[in-house]
Amino acid sequence: MENDKITAENYTTLEASKIYKKTKMRWVIAGLMWAAIAINFLDRTTLAIATPHIMQDLHVTTQEMGMLMSAFFLCYALLQIPAGFVSEKIGQRKALGLSVLWWSIATGLTGIATGFKSLMGLRMVLGIGEAGAYPSNAAITRKWFPKSERATVGGIFDSGQKFGGAFGVPVLTWLMISIGWRETFAVLGIIGIVWSIAWWFFFKDDPADHKGVNKLELDYIHDGEEVKEKDKTMPLKWWQLLRYRNVIAMCIGFFMINYNSYFFITWLPMYLMKDRGLSFSQMGFAASLPLLCGAIIEILAGYLSDRVHSSGKMSLTKTRKLFLCIGLIMAAFIGFAAVSESLIVALILLCISKSGTVVAASQVWAIPSEIAPRNMTGIVAGIQNCISNFGGVVGPIITGFIVGYTGHFEFALLFSAFLLLIAILNFIFVLGKIEPIRVEKQ
C-alpha cells in the first residue's frame, strides 16, 4: 500500500509538472533590455560614423569633433545619479520608457543640425536622455533575476552595445551612402520611438504583476530572498554610498575601462581611415569586427562567471576579480595594436582588446545588484556609471588633441593601455569582498 501511495504521488507530481512548468518571461524582459541598449549604442555612435561627412558639410574641425563627442558623455555622466534615483522612485517601466523616447527624439532631430552649436546642443540633449538606460537595467536585473543569473543578464544587456555596433555600423555606413547622414538619424529616431511604445505596454516593474510570470518562475526569481517591494524607503542618502570602499573601487576601475571602451565608438572609424588607410566603405566593415567579437564574448563571460560561482569552486569575490583581471589584461592589447605595422594584426589585437573590456563589463554590471542596499541598486549603478563615463568625457578630447598634435593615434592608444594597467591594480587591491553593504542604524 505504501509503495502504491508513493507511486500515485509521483504520478500526480509528474502530471502537474507537465501542466504547470516554470515560465521564462524574464528572458523576454532581458531581450527588451538588450534591445534598449542596442538602440542606445546606435544612437550615440552614429555621430562617429558620420564624422567625415559632418566635418566636410558643416565645416567642423578635429578638435571640435572631439568636443562634440565629449558633450554627450558629459551630460550622460552627470545625469547618471539622478537617473538612478528617478528609476527607483517611479519604477523602470516609466523611467526606461521615457528615457528611450527622449533620446530617440533627440536622435531624429540631429539630422536637421546646421553647424557646431546646434550639434553640440542636440548631443547634450541626447546624453540627458540616454542616462536612464543602465541604472534602470541594473535595477531590473535585481528585481527580475535570481543571483545565479545576474552576471549572465548583465552580459546580455550590455552586449547590446556591441551587437548594435557589429551589425549597426555596416548598416549605418550603407544607409549614409544610400540616403545620406541626415536621413539616417531620422530612421534611428523612429526605431527608438517604436521600442518605447512596446515597452510601455509590455513591461511591469514587479514580476508578480506580469501575466506571463507564473508562481514557479516568481519563486525562482526571488531565490529565497525576502521580498519588500512595497517598501520604497532608502536606508542611505546617495552621497553616503561614496563612503564605502567597494563603491569607490567600482567607480575608479570602470572609469579606466570606459576610457578604453569608448575609443571604439568615437575615434575608431577615423583611426581606421587616417592611420590605416581604409576607405569609408571598408571602414564600416573593419570597425564592426571588434564590436562583434565583444558582443559574443560578453554573453559567454557573464554566463561562465555565473557557472564558476554556482559550482562552489570559487567565492563570488574571487570570481568577479578573476574575470575582471583577465578582461583588463586582454583590453591592454590596444597598446600592441598601436605599434603594429600590419593592418590584419592590428585588427586582431583590437578585437582582443574590445573583447577584454566586455569581459570586465559583464562583471561590472553584476556588482551593483550584489552590493547595493535595499532599493538602491539603480543609484549604485548610477554612481558607478556617472564617474566611469567621465572616461567617455575626457577620452575623446584627450585623443583628439593627441592626434591633432602628433598627427597619428599611436600615443593615444598607448596611453589607454597604461590606464588599463592601473585598473587591474585597483580591482586587485582596492575592491574588497563582494557582499551587500551593511547600513548601520542611526
Side-chain angles (χ1 to χ4, degrees):
M1 291 296 293
E2 184 66 24
N3 287 337
D4 290 340
K5 181 178 178 181
I6 292 174
T7 302
E9 287 177 351
N10 288 343
Y11 176 78
T12 302
T13 302
L14 180 62
E15 290 299 305
S17 67
K18 291 180 180 179
I19 299 172
Y20 193 53
K21 293 182 178 180
K22 179 175 65 183
T23 52
K24 297 181 179 180
M25 186 55 61
R26 66 193 185 282
W27 296 114
V28 178
I29 299 301
L32 287 170
M33 294 161 69
W34 175 91
I37 300 301
I39 296 169
N40 177 290
F41 175 87
L42 285 174
D43 289 359
R44 74 171 66 173
T45 198
T46 306
L47 185 76
I49 306 300
T51 292
H53 300 297
I54 290 174
M55 290 178 69
Q56 180 178 353
D57 293 351
L58 302 183
H59 307 292
V60 176
T61 67
T62 302
Q63 288 80 1
E64 286 175 334
M65 208 68 214
M67 287 187 279
L68 283 173
M69 293 173 180
S70 293
F72 163 84
F73 290 113
L74 178 62
C75 293
Y76 180 77
L78 291 176
L79 269 292
Q80 287 296 307
I81 297 172
F85 183 82
V86 170
S87 171
E88 295 289 358
K89 283 296 184 182
I90 71 173
Q92 292 74 48
R93 178 171 176 258
K94 294 178 180 178
L96 186 55
L98 292 173
S99 178
V100 177
L101 180 63
W102 174 298
W103 89 56
S104 297
I105 293 173
T107 298
L109 292 176
T110 302
I112 64 173
T114 57
F116 174 73
K117 291 182 180 179
S118 57
L119 276 173
M120 177 68 76
L122 287 166
R123 290 297 287 182
M124 293 175 75
V125 172
L126 179 70
I128 293 170
E130 291 205 2
Y134 275 94
S136 292
N137 271 2
I140 294 167
T141 299
R142 184 163 187 165
K143 289 181 179 180
W144 272 83
F145 296 88
K147 292 179 180 178
S148 60
E149 293 177 348
R150 288 176 186 171
T152 302
V153 175
I156 288 174
F157 75 71
D158 191 51
S159 74
Q161 273 201 19
K162 294 78 188 178
F163 271 111
F167 296 102
V169 170
V171 171
L172 290 175
T173 303
W174 173 78
L175 274 176
M176 288 180 193
I177 293 172
S178 301
I179 64 175
W181 66 270
R182 294 182 184 275
E183 291 78 6
T184 299
F185 278 102
V187 170
L188 290 174
I190 293 170
I191 292 173
I193 292 171
V194 171
W195 182 96
S196 64
I197 294 171
W199 178 260
W200 180 262
F201 285 104
F202 186 80
F203 180 74
K204 300 294 181 184
D205 288 320
D206 188 341
D209 296 332
H210 201 293
K211 293 181 180 180
V213 177
N214 64 13
K215 187 177 184 303
L216 286 177
E217 183 176 21
L218 191 63
D219 290 342
Y220 179 75
I221 289 170
H222 292 157
D223 198 23
E225 292 183 333
E226 184 180 358
V227 181
K228 296 182 180 179
E229 295 296 337
K230 303 304 179 183
D231 181 7
K232 297 294 184 181
T233 60
M234 299 179 186
L236 287 173
K237 302 296 184 182
W238 71 265
W239 60 83
Q240 292 176 312
L241 289 165
L242 295 172
R243 300 174 182 174
Y244 293 89
R245 168 182 171 180
N246 278 356
V247 175
I248 294 172
M250 289 159 58
C251 292
I252 293 173
F254 203 16
F255 174 94
M256 308 298 183
I257 294 170
N258 271 352
Y259 185 99
N260 179 72
S261 182
Y262 283 135
F263 167 79
F264 291 88
I265 62 172
T266 55
W267 284 112
L268 179 60
M270 199 67 179
Y271 164 74
L272 292 172
M273 289 188 290
K274 182 178 178 62
D275 278 24
R276 296 296 174 177
L278 300 185
S279 67
F280 184 74
S281 58
Q282 290 172 330
M283 174 277 296
F285 171 74
S288 70
L289 293 178
L291 300 171
L292 177 60
C293 291
I296 298 170
I297 294 297
E298 184 164 14
I299 296 174
L300 292 175
Y303 175 80
L304 182 59
S305 66
D306 276 340
R307 298 287 70 79
V308 168
H309 173 56
S310 298
S311 70
K313 296 178 180 179
M314 296 184 72
S315 68
L316 181 61
T317 302
K318 289 182 178 179
T319 302
R320 294 285 176 259
K321 287 193 174 189
L322 174 64
F323 279 81
L324 282 167
C325 290
I326 290 174
L328 290 169
I329 291 170
M330 293 169 62
F333 276 48
I334 195 170
F336 295 112
V339 296
S340 172
E341 295 183 1
S342 166
L343 171 63
I344 301 232
V345 172
L347 282 174
I348 292 172
L349 292 169
L350 288 171
C351 288
I352 294 173
S353 177
K354 186 57 185 175
S355 297
T357 65
V358 302
V359 170
S362 69
Q363 309 306 298
V364 162
W365 284 114
I367 293 176
S369 64
E370 294 163 343
I371 74 161
R374 183 183 70 254
N375 296 326
M376 298 193 79
T377 301
I379 297 175
V380 171
I383 292 173
Q384 172 184 257
N385 218 23
C386 171
I387 304 297
S388 69
N389 269 281
F390 277 95
V393 174
V394 303
I397 293 176
I398 292 175
T399 299
F401 276 92
I402 291 176
V403 174
Y405 181 75
T406 64
H408 54 77
F409 282 83
E410 181 177 337
F411 289 109
L413 300 188
L414 289 171
F415 181 67
S416 180
F418 171 73
L419 292 181
L420 291 167
L421 298 178
I422 296 176
I424 293 172
L425 296 176
N426 167 76
F427 284 124
I428 292 175
F429 298 108
V430 182
L431 185 66
K433 184 178 181 181
I434 306 297
E435 61 182 358
I437 291 173
R438 296 194 179 105
V439 181
E440 296 180 4
K441 294 183 179 180
Q442 303 295 328

